[in-house]
Amino acid sequence: MQITFHVNGKLYKIDVDPRKRLIDILRDNLNLTGTKEGCGEGECGSCTVILDGKAVNSCLVLAAQVRDKEVITVEGLAQNGVLDPLQKSFIGHGAVQCGYCTPGMLMSAKALLMKNPHPTEKEITDAIAGNLCRCTGYNKIIAAIKNVAEEHGDNGK
Amino acid sequence: MKENFDYVGRSYPIHDALGKVTGGLVYAGDMKFPGMLHAKLLLSPIAHGIIKEIDTQKAEELPGVVKVFSYKNSPSTSFSRYRLLPEQENCPADQVLFPRKVRYYGDWVAVVVAEDADIAQEGIKLIDVKYEELPAVTDLSDALESETKIHETGNLIHQYGYTIGDGDQDGEDAEGNQVILESTVRTPKTHHATMETHVCVAQYDFSGKITIWSSCQGAFAVRTIVADFLGLSYNKVRVIKTPVGGSFGGKQEAILEPLAAFLAKETRSTVMLKLNRKECILSTMTRPEVETRLRTTCSPDGKLLKCDIDAVLDAGAYATNAMDYIGGTMGKIAKLYRIPHVNYQAKSVYTNCPVSGAMRGWGSPEFFTAVEVQMDQIAKKLKMDPVTFRLQNLVHPYDMDPVSKISLGNAGIIECLEKGAAEFDWYGRYPGSSGTGRFRIGVGFACAAHKTSMYGGGPEFSTMTLKMNEDGTFVLNTAVQDLGCGSVQSLRIIAGEALGIDPEQILVLEADTDSSPYDFGSYGTRVTYVCGVCTLKVANRVRDQILDVASRTLQVPKQYLKIQNGQVCYMKDKKLHLSFKEIGIISKNKYHLDIIATETYHGVSNPGAYGAHFAEVKVDRSTGLVKVTDYLAVHDIGQVINRSMCEGQVQGAVQMGIGYALCEEIALNARGQVINDSLKNYHVINAPDMPKVRVLLLERGGDDGPFGAKGIGEVAVVPVAAAVVNAVNHALGTDLSLLPLTPKKIVMAIR
């Protein structure tokens, strides 16, 4: 099956098995290995990407479902070598440890801020409820997102 | 003790944070090589049985399948995946790659190597196996009585014990009075739940050498195990540590590497072996389930007199580290309490359960959970405030551990508890009523001790080489492994402080067995305490060489030179100075000198690492659900090296410990099959369930670590479960002690 879709603003036309999952297309076909797989069943959130403005588990999305859609992965956050405020804030707040959940966390947070630039702490916590982290205890991740929401919220779009 | 540091004690991100937030950092599972093959395991669907027949022909005929291996065509060499050093004791070689007799649900039956992972997965489905099922031992309490023998040697792996004082003494005070409390605490078998599952890549090259890229904790141990297993010399196996997406002990043993290396050798290719979550839960390792019986005697005024400890550890189907685990930190009550008479007896047993092994704290969380739950019960029986009760029994600075005869160092547990009780307003909150309605509020706390290296229990040293580049930057060559805890950044900060230069200017290499000096790897709370001193010592030697070159060049005595921010200055005349870059160039061009030093540091002590944690919980009596609503963690850390990373370690440990207390358990059915083999039904605490964790770090120094630092990563998880369980028991007036306290158990207890 041939599909056309955008990833990080770039147009891709690829030939794939329609049963292929989005995560496999990203990692195997497009070499975008920043998106990580932690469970393969939508429970851990490590593979979160933004699909048409919504955070989704890319392990639960099939190739056919991304036809003509727009995908943003962690590789698409920095623009022209300048980090997204969320990326800077994660670094600055010590929100990164082993880093395996980080891409998914960032994408869930990004999707939230794109829709809601000034979320409450509860909205932040709920937005990352599907992203498991085993290293940080979430406190610093929440602080990092909150900081962007407070300081740069309007740039979060 | 407070010093004015330039770099130590501030907050820094993890060294590779940039690669992690951009998605650019390559983990082992992200690696690609031309022609790389993928391997997939067939796991046993039964807990115990004999393979009567195995037919792999259909799988072999599947296009894209390269090779299938089972017990029929793989080595029968037995090995221990835990063994760190050649000829190391206490490492039963009770395992082969593919056994004919499967011993747990998840044991390895066969492997398919194929051109891609999907084909390998298809191949697995085409393998036909007939088993003769045997009765399975699925509970540790049945292991010793059962007629079912899991290994030829019987189900008892090891027995270990010690006595302090008079083991037969009944434990009475001078007037012959005593209060006795007996309880049994069970701590569950849990999954490490690293977000990165186990993975490695092995590559065979034309010279017969095998290179392994592995997400592991100790590259030299992996090399030793793989080389011995395949009969290769140690310079024919190269292990390169890759970024680790979480480990917590789960990647301490060489679980995948012997197989991956064997497959690479047989297929003369590059092979990736990557587990999915189900395989990772079933078939790697778990924290061991432990049943601890305690019988503690104390005087009516609350002085501990005697403790009898009887523990049984479920090792699962293979021993791995089970001999060392029960004699490591488990049972070491004297690290925390002054107690004149102790009798400790522990057994590790085989069962047909998933294989247990190292997990964060190595016995301390299992053991001190039991102790601290019981200490609360004793205080309740004595009608004493539990903080007051602890305070009159806790160890004091520089007490001697009567078992190891090693000093506990500047043990700060009393200060942790006193400061914590004040900060948490313990005396104000504890006596308060827990309410009468559906929701009950309770508070609890627990104290914890852990060790700070392997000193006293075996070899403990580290070797490092530090060199200066011509531009004044540095490279520290070490086999220390960052597991996502910030070890590399800590070493940079220590070296930066010693050299007088921004840590950013120091590159720290990680383990590559071809080129790294020897190090044991990252576990046992040894990295900061031992490797950190090695870093400090090697940096001081390089600093000395820098000063020599500066003194020679500026023609001034060395003792009048000082270093700040990469500049050597003459104290008597500020105009005379040299930058590190100038020194780097002059040393090579003018003096033909290489600024470089190698240092081996041997650990000299093993002080206790301490902490006291306080929790508030809200218990829903209707549903049995518990929410942790407030949390304070106080630690005696000696000296903070990287502040935000220390806080993060503690907060992460609290996440893990709350799960240990309330919801995490690998559960089996009567046939020994794991019933929660996915993150859908194996619950770990997520963001909405996580309280804000206040972290108080006491910097008291006084021990041999770099700038006085001790460890934090392991000890931080030790008190969590007991603090939460004690809070639940406080809220409900119960004595629950069989973890995890699931809603079902809580509702049953209320009824």
Side-chain angles (χ1 to χ4, degrees):
Chain A
M1 182 187 73
Q2 206 170 60
I3 57 163
T4 310
F5 69 130
H6 280 88
V7 179
N8 301 331
K10 201 170 150 190
L11 180 72
Y12 288 91
K13 203 182 231 182
I14 55 166
D15 203 22
V16 287
D17 179 339
R19 291 166 305 173
K20 269 259 184 207
R21 307 173 304 166
L22 175 56
I23 185 172
D24 300 322
I25 298 172
L26 295 171
R27 290 178 55 87
D28 302 342
N29 299 53
L30 310 186
N31 278 320
L32 296 171
T33 55
T35 302
K36 305 296 183 205
E37 179 162 357
C39 70
E41 54 176 10
E43 288 293 325
C44 76
S46 300
C47 67
T48 306
V49 299
I50 299 175
L51 181 65
D52 277 0
K54 268 194 186 155
V56 297
N57 289 303
S58 62
C59 72
L60 298 181
V61 176
L62 297 179
Q65 295 171 280
V66 298
R67 192 193 289 265
D68 300 326
K69 301 239 164 118
E70 230 178 289
V71 178
I72 309 173
T73 71
V74 69
E75 289 91 346
L77 282 180
Q79 298 290 332
N80 304 318
V82 179
L83 295 184
D84 185 272
L86 275 170
Q87 291 172 307
K88 278 189 210 153
S89 190
F90 268 55
I91 295 174
H93 283 81
V96 184
Q97 288 193 27
C98 89
Y100 209 78
C101 77
T102 307
M105 284 286 181
L106 283 166
M107 300 320 287
S108 288
K110 183 71 183 173
L112 170 71
L113 296 187
M114 280 162 68
K115 231 184 302 165
N116 175 4
H118 301 289
T120 62
E121 188 167 321
K122 166 107 181 27
E123 286 169 329
I124 292 171
T125 309
D126 288 346
I128 59 164
N131 293 82
L132 299 179
C133 169
R134 194 58 150 172
C135 299
T136 66
Y138 309 102
N139 282 209
K140 290 184 186 295
I141 292 174
I142 293 165
I145 300 169
K146 206 169 151 186
N147 183 259
V148 177
E150 282 163 3
E151 307 234 331
H152 315 273
D154 295 326
N155 301 334
K157 286 195 172 165
Chain B
M1 163 65 212
K2 284 275 171 206
E3 288 179 46
N4 284 326
F5 295 118
D6 287 329
Y7 306 105
V8 163
R10 298 189 194 172
S11 287
Y12 301 79
I14 195 158
H15 71 288
D16 51 6
L18 197 56
K20 287 169 173 172
V21 298
T22 54
L25 188 71
V26 178
Y27 294 75
D30 301 331
M31 296 181 87
K32 280 175 189 169
F33 290 93
M36 183 168 81
L37 304 175
H38 294 261
K40 205 76 201 159
L41 284 162
L42 175 65
L43 304 180
S44 170
I46 58 170
H48 200 193
I50 310 280
I51 299 173
K52 296 311 269 184
E53 276 175 53
I54 178 161
D55 183 358
T56 56
Q57 197 187 339
K58 277 187 203 147
E60 281 156 16
E61 285 167 4
L62 183 71
V65 168
V66 175
K67 193 98 183 156
V68 181
F69 294 95
S70 68
Y71 78 88
K72 284 183 169 172
N73 57 347
S74 62
S76 56
T77 321
S78 57
F79 65 102
S80 162
R81 65 188 209 187
Y82 160 65
R83 187 172 55 92
L84 191 69
L85 295 163
E87 297 173 23
Q88 189 179 332
E89 292 177 348
N90 293 349
C91 305
D94 59 2
Q95 197 177 353
V96 295
L97 274 189
F98 297 105
R100 175 125 198 230
K101 174 176 158 160
V102 291
R103 294 181 174 87
Y104 71 102
Y105 177 75
D107 210 343
W108 296 2
V109 174
V111 68
V112 175
V113 187
E115 286 165 9
D116 73 38
D118 291 339
I119 298 172
Q121 183 66 51
E122 281 303 306
I124 285 297
K125 291 182 197 154
L126 298 174
I127 299 174
D128 192 23
V129 193
K130 290 196 174 43
Y131 300 91
E132 178 194 325
E133 200 166 345
L134 298 169
V137 181
T138 59
D139 192 286
L140 60 86
S141 46
D142 300 332
L144 295 175
E145 273 90 65
S146 174
E147 284 173 12
T148 302
K149 262 176 123 189
I150 297 155
H151 290 267
E152 285 304 307
T153 48
N155 295 346
L156 175 68
I157 299 171
H158 186 52
Q159 197 163 352
Y160 168 81
Y162 71 81
T163 351
I164 299 173
D166 179 358
D168 297 326
Q169 217 260 11
D170 201 33
E172 305 180 329
D173 69 2
E175 283 81 46
N177 296 317
Q178 55 176 209
V179 175
I180 301 172
L181 205 118
E182 288 182 60
S183 51
T184 300
V185 179
R186 264 220 194 197
T187 52
K189 188 178 269 295
T190 58
H191 174 45
H192 296 72
T194 58
M195 288 300 107
E196 177 201 45
T197 55
H198 288 61
V199 56
C200 74
V201 176
Q203 183 172 63
Y204 177 86
D205 77 25
F206 60 91
S207 70
K209 183 168 177 169
I210 291 174
T211 302
I212 302 169
W213 288 268
S214 169
S215 174
C216 66
Q217 288 183 228
F220 283 101
V222 172
R223 179 217 54 191
T224 301
I225 292 166
V226 170
D228 288 352
F229 175 70
L230 293 176
L232 294 172
S233 60
Y234 286 8
N235 59 5
K236 286 277 187 199
V237 176
R238 178 184 185 188
V239 179
I240 301 169
K241 181 255 174 195
T242 56
V244 174
S247 186
F248 315 111
K251 294 166 184 168
Q252 181 176 334
E253 296 176 4
I255 300 174
L256 301 185
E257 294 88 345
L259 173 61
F262 166 72
L263 298 177
K265 185 168 170 249
E266 290 299 304
T267 60
R268 296 178 167 251
S269 309
T270 307
V271 179
M272 177 182 282
L273 178 55
K274 177 154 67 168
L275 301 191
N276 62 26
R277 179 60 55 187
K278 179 179 174 178
E279 293 158 346
C280 191
I281 292 175
L282 297 182
S283 193
T284 58
M285 67 155 95
T286 69
R287 186 188 283 286
E289 179 175 9
V290 180
E291 184 176 272
T292 309
R293 278 172 222 235
L294 294 157
R295 183 181 187 274
T296 303
T297 312
C298 66
S299 66
D301 60 352
K303 269 275 178 210
L304 289 174
L305 300 171
K306 191 186 179 208
C307 189
D308 292 302
I309 307 157
D310 188 357
V312 184
L313 174 145
D314 175 6
Y318 298 101
T320 76
N321 71 353
M323 289 179 76
D324 283 350
Y325 213 86
I326 56 170
T329 51
M330 247 177 80
K332 301 295 192 292
I333 194 166
K335 277 193 190 300
L336 191 58
Y337 291 109
R338 285 180 165 180
I339 182 162
H341 307 287
V342 178
N343 228 332
Y344 171 70
Q345 288 302 324
K347 295 185 181 91
S348 48
V349 298
Y350 285 122
T351 65
N352 294 110
C353 299
V355 183
S356 76
M359 187 164 174
R360 197 178 199 170
W362 251 82
S364 286
E366 292 87 340
F367 179 63
F368 285 113
T369 299
V371 169
E372 287 300 275
V373 168
Q374 193 186 57
M375 289 298 157
D376 252 35
Q377 293 171 347
I378 300 172
K380 198 158 109 180
K381 193 163 179 179
L382 294 168
K383 297 194 168 55
M384 275 180 83
D385 177 275
V387 169
T388 313
F389 169 62
R390 303 296 205 291
L391 283 174
Q392 60 186 33
N393 290 294
L394 287 167
V395 293
H396 288 234
Y398 304 104
D399 275 4
M400 186 73 86
D401 178 340
V403 186
S404 66
K405 312 281 187 230
I406 294 171
S407 169
L408 297 176
N410 191 11
I413 183 60
I414 290 177
E415 195 180 328
C416 285
L417 186 54
E418 285 174 340
K419 291 227 161 96
E423 176 72 25
F424 192 75
D425 186 25
W426 174 263
Y427 297 105
R429 291 163 85 169
Y430 180 69
S433 150
S434 70
T436 50
R438 174 174 164 184
F439 295 97
R440 301 289 166 90
I441 307 290
V443 290
F445 77 95
C447 298
H450 193 56
K451 58 180 190 168
T452 48
S453 73
M454 313 300 284
Y455 174 80
E460 178 54 287
F461 62 88
S462 186
T463 302
M464 295 180 187
T465 297
L466 179 66
K467 66 177 178 186
M468 187 192 208
N469 293 323
E470 299 87 309
D471 66 350
T473 60
F474 297 84
V475 180
L476 179 69
N477 192 7
T478 164
V480 159
Q481 310 208 167
D482 197 300
L483 310 180
C485 314
S487 305
V488 160
Q489 191 65 293
S490 291
L491 299 190
R492 285 167 99 186
I493 296 164
I494 292 163
E497 190 70 47
L499 291 166
I501 192 169
D502 187 339
E504 283 281 321
Q505 302 302 315
I506 302 157
L507 171 70
V508 174
L509 305 177
E510 293 184 75
D512 174 343
T513 56
D514 266 10
S515 55
S516 306
Y518 191 84
D519 187 74
F520 291 92
S522 296
Y523 42 80
T525 305
R526 62 178 295 277
V527 176
T528 302
Y529 195 72
V530 173
C531 305
V533 179
C534 190
T535 305
L536 183 59
K537 288 196 176 272
V538 78
N540 280 335
R541 284 181 52 196
V542 166
R543 177 192 170 95
D544 210 46
Q545 293 177 29
I546 291 168
L547 290 174
D548 279 338
V549 172
S551 158
R552 216 166 141 185
T553 310
L554 297 172
Q555 302 275 306
V556 295
K558 211 165 134 185
Q559 65 265 35
Y560 296 120
L561 292 173
K562 68 167 191 177
I563 302 181
Q564 201 162 22
N565 199 18
Q567 289 271 343
V568 185
C569 309
Y570 180 45
M571 287 184 255
K572 293 184 171 177
D573 179 358
K574 294 251 165 71
K575 278 180 291 190
L576 284 181
H577 56 79
L578 284 169
S579 69
F580 277 13
K581 183 173 179 177
E582 288 168 311
I583 289 168
I585 295 168
I586 291 167
S587 74
K588 290 245 174 25
N589 291 8
K590 196 169 167 193
Y591 306 128
H592 307 179
L593 259 179
D594 201 10
I595 297 182
I596 185 166
T598 296
E599 179 83 25
T600 298
Y601 170 72
H602 293 84
V604 295
S605 57
N606 195 338
Y610 292 98
H613 286 199
F614 295 78
E616 180 194 77
V617 298
K618 185 177 172 189
V619 187
D620 183 340
R621 283 172 51 94
S622 301
T623 62
L625 285 168
V626 177
K627 183 151 170 88
V628 181
T629 45
D630 187 22
Y631 206 97
L632 170 71
V634 189
H635 282 278
D636 158 29
I637 193 167
Q639 168 64 49
V640 171
I641 302 291
N642 181 348
R643 196 161 300 275
S644 81
M645 199 53 71
C646 289
E647 291 165 358
Q649 285 286 294
V650 175
Q651 290 164 337
V654 173
Q655 187 270 0
M656 194 174 276
I658 293 175
Y660 196 39
L662 299 178
C663 56
E664 291 192 37
E665 178 175 35
I666 295 178
L668 310 179
N669 66 17
R671 284 177 64 202
Q673 294 162 318
V674 174
I675 54 176
N676 52 351
D677 58 8
S678 77
L679 293 177
K680 209 173 259 136
N681 41 29
Y682 182 93
H683 292 293
V684 305
I685 298 295
N686 68 354
D689 285 340
M690 185 69 197
K692 274 213 174 72
V693 177
R694 287 175 283 153
V695 181
L696 198 59
L697 301 170
L698 308 182
E699 295 166 279
R700 313 163 72 249
D703 289 303
D704 300 304
F707 307 105
K710 298 199 271 193
I712 189 71
E714 290 196 291
V715 67
V717 81
V718 180
V720 187
V724 173
V725 170
N726 288 342
V728 172
N729 282 330
H730 179 238
L732 300 175
T734 48
D735 283 318
L736 294 167
S737 63
L738 306 180
L739 277 59
L741 304 187
T742 55
K744 195 174 160 190
K745 281 187 201 158
I746 286 175
V747 169
M748 298 265 286
I750 296 168
R751 283 179 192 155

